[in-house]
Amino acid sequence: MNTSFRIGVLGSGKGSNFAAIAEAVAAGKIPAEMAVVLSDVESAGILTHARNRSIPARFIPPGKFRTKLDEVAERAFVSALQTAQVDLVVLAGFMRVLKGDFLRAYEGRIVNIHPSLLPCFPGLESWRQALDHGVKVAGCTVHFVDAGVDSGAIIGQSAVPVLDEDTPESLHQRIHAAEHELYPQCVAALARNEISVVGRRVIWKKS
Ligand code: GAR
């Protein structure tokens, strides 16, 4: 039987947030084990990052839809997470919306990172939305995943300035750097059971 807190990560891209979390686990800053990494993109960097760290990693074909998993894929993702006895599902750049059966299987145990200060700029390319809107402060948000898009209870946020000379790329890079600090801190608090949820408010217990 596994007694450690087990993390499963889902990602579609580079995997830099996964790498930040895996490094924090390896450094003993997160009391957990990286149980499995799953991707809907066969060539995703996140799978290479995981394999380089000897963490089990699998591509699961997402099926016929563009923005969500089809039923077969959803079952395959949930089954892979259950086989790996995952306690927490960490979305790290997973670019599909999770639906019914997946959410029910891991209710209250799925978290996501989003590159904006939610509830501003949900959806795609939030850093570009922030620049286009002209905000002076941008950032990132770690939140629980619910049935909406980027709408679950907020666990943590980190702000970065928007500079006059920013391009979408430079702002995205600054937000990414903030994500690599914020996400491991939030996952550590969840692994230590220091987080409780009261309505929409997430309370951090003092450790
Ligand atoms: C991150 O910036 C994350 O916030 C974003 O994808 C990037 C993944 O980077 N996620 C979303 O936009 C989800 N809606 P990574 O693969 O290097 O961790």
Side-chain angles (χ1 to χ4, degrees):
M1 210 183 76
N2 286 304
T3 50
S4 62
F5 186 86
R6 294 172 67 79
I7 296 173
V9 181
L10 268 55
S12 310
K14 273 198 317 195
S16 66
N17 278 287
F18 156 73
I21 292 168
E23 268 158 37
V25 168
K29 294 179 186 162
I30 302 177
E33 199 173 322
M34 302 305 281
V36 72
V37 172
L38 304 173
S39 182
D40 59 329
V41 177
E42 196 161 16
S43 59
I46 192 169
L47 292 175
T48 312
H49 270 303
R51 288 176 185 134
N52 289 343
R53 289 175 162 79
S54 304
I55 296 166
R58 241 181 92 190
F59 159 65
I60 299 180
K64 56 182 181 263
F65 303 115
R66 208 173 48 83
T67 59
K68 63 175 186 176
L69 301 171
D70 74 10
E71 249 176 67
V72 175
E74 190 177 73
R75 270 201 298 277
F77 270 85
V78 170
S79 151
L81 292 167
Q82 286 170 342
T83 302
Q85 297 182 287
V86 160
D87 297 296
L88 180 72
V89 180
V90 170
L91 306 186
F94 191 66
M95 301 312 279
R96 287 172 194 269
V97 180
L98 299 180
K99 298 283 179 188
D101 283 348
F102 197 129
L103 295 178
R104 275 188 287 280
Y106 284 95
E107 201 181 340
R109 295 189 295 150
I110 311 173
V111 294
N112 180 46
I113 188 149
H114 182 78
S116 78
L117 294 174
L118 290 171
C120 286
F121 314 129
L124 296 177
E125 299 204 328
S126 306
W127 57 90
R128 200 180 294 275
Q129 295 185 51
L131 265 190
D132 289 348
H133 196 89
V135 295
K136 301 295 185 193
V137 178
C140 53
T141 302
V142 174
H143 62 92
F144 285 105
V145 173
D146 65 11
V149 176
D150 304 322
S151 57
I154 291 170
I155 300 167
Q157 293 187 302
S158 176
V160 301
V162 180
L163 307 180
D164 290 345
E165 57 274 24
D166 264 332
T167 60
E169 292 71 31
S170 65
L171 179 57
H172 189 197
Q173 213 171 9
R174 197 172 307 118
I175 292 172
H176 235 141
E179 291 183 336
H180 301 157
E181 297 292 316
L182 179 68
Y183 216 178
Q185 287 169 12
C186 292
V187 172
L190 288 156
R192 292 199 184 99
N193 198 21
E194 289 173 359
I195 296 282
S196 59
V197 186
V198 183
R200 274 204 59 89
R201 299 191 66 191
V202 173
I203 313 296
W204 289 58
K205 296 178 211 157
K206 303 270 179 305
S207 56

